[in-house]
Amino acid sequence: MERVQRFLVLGFLAIAFTLFLHVDSAANTPNRWIPQNADQKQMPSSPVKLSKWKDHVMLDNGIVKLTLLSPSGLIAGIQYKGVENVLDYHLREPRRGYWDIVWSRPQERKSYFYELEGTSFKIIVETEDMIEISFTRTWNSSLSYSYPLNVDIRYIMLRGSSGFYSYGIMEHLEGWPDLNIDEARISFKLHDATFRYMAISDDIQRIMPTARDRMGGRVLDYKEAVLLTNPSNATLKGEVDDKYQYSYDNKDCFVHGWISTDRDIGFWVITPSNEFRAGGPMKNELTSHVGPTSLAVFFSDHYAGPNFGIRLRNGEPWKKVLGPVFIYLNSGSSNKPSTLWADAKEQMQKETQKWPYDFPSSEDFPLANKRGIITGRLLVRDTYLSQELMPAKSAYVGLAPPGDVGSWQMDTKGYQFWNQTDENGYFTIRSVREGTYSLNAWVTGVMGDYKYEIDIVISPGSQIQLGNLVYSPPRNGPTLWEIGIPDRTPAEFYVPDPTPELRNHIFINHKEKYRQYGLWDRYTDLYPDQDLVYTVGISDYKKDWFYAHVNRKTTSTNKYEATTWQVSFNLTNVTNSGTYTLQIALASANYAEVQVRINNPNAPIPRFTTRLIGRDNAIARHGGHGLYSLYSINVPGLQLVNGRNTIYLKQSRGGYPFTGVMYDYIRFEGPPEVYH
């Protein structure tokens, strides 16, 4: 009996010692991910588990369960906080969540929308702390109407993480057929009975209509815009819903999503870096909209035009990693959307600080020690404003694939890395992938684009110090007058209120009033017979310069006619032998042609014409800008007079409500030989 008791005591001590070692080991294990939600922080996190059955795969870390179809990789379900599926389970499983592209063959004028479906499933990493899985598709040239791409879609779940990550690798091998890719994104279709509250930013969030509400509404000038005539929520009656009202610039859009006010849970798309998004920081993309739908858009031709996208020709090889993005789910107990939104923003900050992530396993995603850093200072030289160099405050400075000045706006194939300068013009750009880049910049309050004279080569671990860089913006003479602020948007100009029956209440008295529907026709209401006339020294561009130069709708024929704006100004001591300069910076253009005439509106040949420009469609899509462009126009002194002068700006392409331009900034300069 004594031997048995001794054995039991020793056994108990052994078990206790083992438990002590396990706890001590867990406390000191590196890369241990901690639960994000407050109610989970008090509990030890569960190991990540992988389950497979039939044609499904599930990742489960005890907080979130992600169910994927196999081998396609399409998202069938996301389980969280007792909600069996936050996705719309009324849809077929392949339609609930997916990666997708819009592609075409250059020789055909037809585009195809395809979900990116894998044909092979593979486990990349499987530990208690992390699981990474891969769904791949290799191009089969024998299949008709198949896109010539190799695709690898990855999903990652970490221990203690309230969500999951996804990234994709697209590859076009050398010698493969020509290909256009106009759009690439991840789409999530959420359950409409659960999610009704949408949040895009601090001041753009609200209760939304349902998809059924839209189906019962009246379609307006295009299918995306619907007037809600009999919504299930009576407070929304008479409002306009349009997904483009909720687009956002890449530089400002790192988190957006939906909140269930009755379940007190949130679903968020967090994009921790813009390096893999195309078109630079000013590129405008869709976010979340009625469905309820949430998107992670990597590139699209919205607000840029049909030439924007991947264009692969003559067997050109191409490869790019898109993501990772983080799908975050959170919960609370306050029944206040503001609480979940604040937590989502906090999580977004955590994700951006962790970039570049150290857990993706693909060799195509370089870790921090494989990347470089670049520092410098940007100064502005404009002797007409100051004899000394001026620091470029809050300027955007970025690395993009080599190209001409401003070409980063249309870049889609490569990676871009941007940051802003401080008050003294100093900048640091971190975590830059290995490669050759152009250094680009623009400065708020200063016209034009800067490009460093030589390309910059980044190697793994490199630290490049550029020192002082000097930008001399376009300038031929002193400013005689100016309209607006050179900030690449028309936000400072007059943006009208919408007609009462075509409002979205969230944008009433909003700083971004241009998001309202139908503002193109408000020009006709304000100028029914005569076009805009702006008098320098008397007019105020905040009140008297319409934010978009659009066509007028005629009352008799209900058609749209071209419009001519006038800028009237006085000059003294005109130098007949000198050359003046009209600088016109455009924030957007859509099927437009701006003709410039000096002191004669009927001159058969304009002094200058842009010819047909732009297809960014920013006016119709409620954008604050599309693609930026700048025109410097010489004006001979012989065409000017002492006294009253008038510059006529004619947008000559009529017939369409959305044809027009948005001016960013206009400046008239005197001849340099007289004033400087």
Side-chain angles (χ1 to χ4, degrees):
M1 183 68 179
E2 184 178 357
R3 293 176 60 189
V4 172
Q5 289 177 336
R6 189 184 305 116
F7 177 78
L8 291 174
V9 170
L10 291 173
F12 175 80
L13 290 174
I15 293 172
F17 183 70
T18 300
L19 289 172
F20 172 79
L21 289 178
H22 178 75
V23 171
D24 182 70
S25 174
N28 292 282
T29 299
N31 299 324
R32 178 74 63 176
W33 289 276
I34 306 300
Q36 302 299 327
N37 288 11
D39 56 345
Q40 295 156 352
K41 291 178 181 177
Q42 307 304 319
M43 301 177 61
S45 57
S46 301
V48 190
K49 297 178 181 179
L50 172 67
S51 303
K52 295 181 287 183
W53 70 97
K54 295 184 179 179
D55 54 355
H56 290 74
V57 176
M58 177 186 286
L59 303 181
D60 179 5
N61 65 0
I63 304 170
V64 174
K65 294 181 181 179
L66 171 65
T67 302
L68 303 156
L69 300 181
S70 180
S72 68
L74 302 176
I75 305 169
I78 302 172
Q79 184 176 338
Y80 176 74
K81 282 290 180 180
V83 179
E84 192 65 27
N85 197 350
V86 301
L87 301 182
D88 189 354
Y89 50 79
H90 295 108
L91 296 173
R92 294 185 302 107
E93 284 188 325
R95 294 295 300 156
R96 299 172 186 173
Y98 46 82
W99 283 68
D100 66 67
I101 62 171
V102 175
W103 71 280
S104 64
R105 296 185 177 92
Q107 66 273 21
E108 300 178 3
R109 294 189 175 184
K110 183 178 180 180
S111 296
Y112 302 92
F113 171 90
Y114 272 34
E115 289 112 1
L116 296 180
E117 298 188 38
T119 57
S120 178
F121 165 69
K122 183 179 181 181
I123 300 172
I124 305 297
V125 175
E126 185 177 12
T127 70
E128 289 188 347
D129 291 326
M130 168 183 165
I131 292 178
E132 178 173 351
I133 57 178
S134 166
F135 300 89
T136 57
R137 171 196 179 275
T138 302
W139 180 54
N140 185 346
S141 60
S142 65
L143 296 177
S144 61
Y145 293 99
S146 65
Y147 45 91
L149 279 177
N150 290 337
V151 177
D152 184 355
I153 304 299
R154 304 277 184 107
Y155 294 93
I156 299 173
M157 184 170 283
L158 306 180
R159 184 169 186 154
S161 177
S162 189
F164 61 91
Y165 299 83
S166 186
Y167 67 106
I169 306 165
M170 296 186 184
E171 181 181 34
H172 183 269
L173 295 181
E174 186 175 1
W176 279 9
D178 292 354
L179 174 67
N180 294 340
I181 312 175
D182 297 325
E183 179 177 284
R185 63 184 190 175
I186 313 176
S187 301
F188 297 93
K189 307 292 186 181
L190 304 181
H191 189 236
D192 60 356
T194 303
F195 294 97
R196 293 289 180 88
Y197 190 94
M198 187 181 75
I200 305 299
S201 67
D202 287 337
D203 56 2
I204 303 179
Q205 46 184 274
R206 59 169 298 170
I207 293 290
M208 295 290 287
T210 66
R212 181 168 294 183
D213 293 337
R214 282 180 52 89
M215 291 175 62
R218 176 165 64 89
V219 177
L220 299 173
D221 281 358
Y222 47 86
K223 64 180 181 179
E224 290 85 357
V226 172
L227 180 65
L228 304 174
T229 55
N230 189 29
S232 53
N233 184 339
T235 62
L236 302 179
K237 185 175 182 179
E239 289 204 45
V240 173
D241 178 73
D242 183 347
K243 66 181 181 181
Y244 293 115
Q245 292 178 318
Y246 304 106
S247 298
Y248 230 63
D249 286 356
N250 285 342
K251 63 182 175 60
D252 302 317
C253 186
F254 291 91
V255 57
H256 62 87
W258 290 83
I259 293 172
S260 171
T261 53
D262 59 337
R263 302 290 186 100
D264 206 23
I265 62 176
F267 179 96
W268 308 100
V269 176
I270 295 178
T271 305
S273 170
N274 277 328
E275 72 174 50
F276 46 80
R277 295 206 279 198
M282 292 288 284
K283 180 64 172 67
N284 215 345
E285 297 289 8
L286 293 172
T287 57
S288 289
H289 58 79
V290 166
T293 299
S294 274
L295 304 170
V297 180
F298 302 109
F299 62 88
S300 75
D301 60 8
H302 296 143
Y303 305 94
N307 293 326
F308 188 90
I310 307 296
R311 301 292 181 263
L312 300 170
R313 300 290 184 271
N314 303 316
E316 176 187 357
W318 172 75
K319 193 176 192 180
K320 188 171 184 179
V321 177
L322 304 177
V325 296
F326 182 46
I327 307 308
Y328 178 58
L329 293 102
N330 61 359
S331 61
S333 57
S334 65
N335 290 321
K336 292 182 179 179
S338 58
T339 302
L340 295 182
W341 169 247
D343 177 72
K345 289 198 300 178
E346 182 180 348
Q347 186 64 37
M348 177 268 291
Q349 292 290 342
K350 294 177 181 178
E351 298 298 326
T352 57
Q353 290 167 9
K354 290 189 294 184
W355 189 268
Y357 293 137
D358 60 1
F359 48 80
S361 301
S362 172
E363 294 181 354
D364 294 307
F365 184 84
L367 304 181
N369 62 350
K370 298 294 185 180
R371 295 170 177 244
I373 185 173
I374 185 168
T375 61
R377 188 187 189 195
L378 184 63
L379 303 167
V380 176
R381 177 187 287 122
D382 189 338
T383 55
Y384 288 97
L385 297 180
S386 173
Q387 292 301 312
E388 298 182 355
L389 293 174
M390 300 173 289
K393 300 178 181 180
S394 301
Y396 283 88
V397 183
L399 296 173
D404 297 330
V405 174
S407 63
W408 53 267
Q409 287 190 107
M410 292 295 288
D411 171 70
T412 55
K413 294 178 182 177
Y415 302 91
Q416 298 195 28
F417 304 85
W418 291 82
N419 207 345
Q420 282 188 277
T421 61
D422 63 16
E423 286 294 301
N424 296 311
Y426 290 99
F427 64 88
T428 300
I429 304 175
R430 305 179 186 276
S431 304
V432 183
R433 284 169 163 264
E434 180 181 5
T436 301
Y437 300 91
S438 291
L439 181 77
N440 308 273
W442 84 86
V443 187
T444 298
V446 178
M447 190 171 58
D449 281 278
Y450 168 79
K451 180 179 178 293
Y452 190 49
E453 58 266 22
I454 60 175
D455 289 340
I456 295 173
V457 178
I458 300 292
S459 57
S462 64
Q463 297 185 18
I464 298 176
Q465 298 179 350
L466 293 178
N468 290 340
L469 310 177
V470 180
Y471 173 41
S472 299
R475 167 78 77 170
N476 293 327
T479 301
L480 301 184
W481 52 261
E482 58 187 347
I483 300 173
I485 301 169
D487 61 0
R488 296 177 176 253
T489 80
E492 69 272 25
F493 299 136
Y494 177 70
V495 180
D497 293 325
T499 55
E501 64 273 15
L502 295 175
R503 294 182 297 180
N504 184 324
H505 284 87
I506 196 173
F507 299 120
I508 295 176
N509 298 321
H510 195 275
K511 64 181 180 181
E512 296 173 346
K513 289 172 60 178
Y514 57 80
R515 293 181 180 272
Q516 293 280 13
Y517 172 85
L519 300 185
W520 48 86
D521 281 338
R522 294 291 285 128
Y523 178 80
T524 302
D525 297 336
L526 295 171
Y527 301 94
D529 302 310
Q530 302 294 323
D531 283 322
L532 182 151
V533 177
Y534 186 92
T535 303
V536 174
I538 298 176
S539 300
D540 181 354
Y541 62 75
K542 296 179 181 178
K543 301 176 182 178
D544 303 316
W545 190 267
F546 199 77
Y547 84 105
H549 191 164
V550 291
N551 293 321
R552 178 189 292 104
K553 188 177 183 179
T554 59
T555 55
S556 58
T557 63
N558 214 30
K559 295 182 179 180
Y560 288 85
E561 63 182 13
T563 54
T564 302
W565 291 9
Q566 301 178 39
V567 180
S568 181
F569 58 99
N570 285 320
L571 287 180
T572 58
N573 301 319
V574 172
T575 305
N576 291 336
S577 60
T579 299
Y580 295 72
T581 305
L582 178 66
Q583 307 275 14
I584 298 180
L586 298 180
S588 168
N590 190 61
Y591 287 105
E593 179 179 357
V594 178
Q595 298 176 351
V596 177
R597 291 175 171 83
I598 311 297
N599 285 329
N600 182 3
N602 300 314
I605 300 176
R607 177 64 199 169
F608 170 81
T609 176
T610 62
R611 302 188 184 277
L612 180 62
I613 55 171
R615 294 181 64 181
D616 62 35
N617 218 14
I619 294 171
R621 289 173 173 158
H622 327 294
H625 62 86
L627 296 178
Y628 178 83
S629 57
L630 175 63
Y631 301 91
S632 296
I633 304 157
N634 292 332
V635 179
L638 285 172
Q639 292 193 353
L640 301 169
V641 298
N642 289 310
R644 180 69 63 182
N645 291 266
T646 301
I647 291 177
Y648 298 90
L649 302 173
K650 181 177 183 179
Q651 195 301 104
S652 62
R653 305 275 175 159
Y656 192 57
F658 311 128
T659 297
V661 299
M662 296 180 185
Y663 297 102
D664 166 41
Y665 175 67
I666 299 177
R667 184 170 73 210
F668 193 65
E669 301 169 356
E673 59 267 28
V674 173
Y675 296 94
H676 190 63

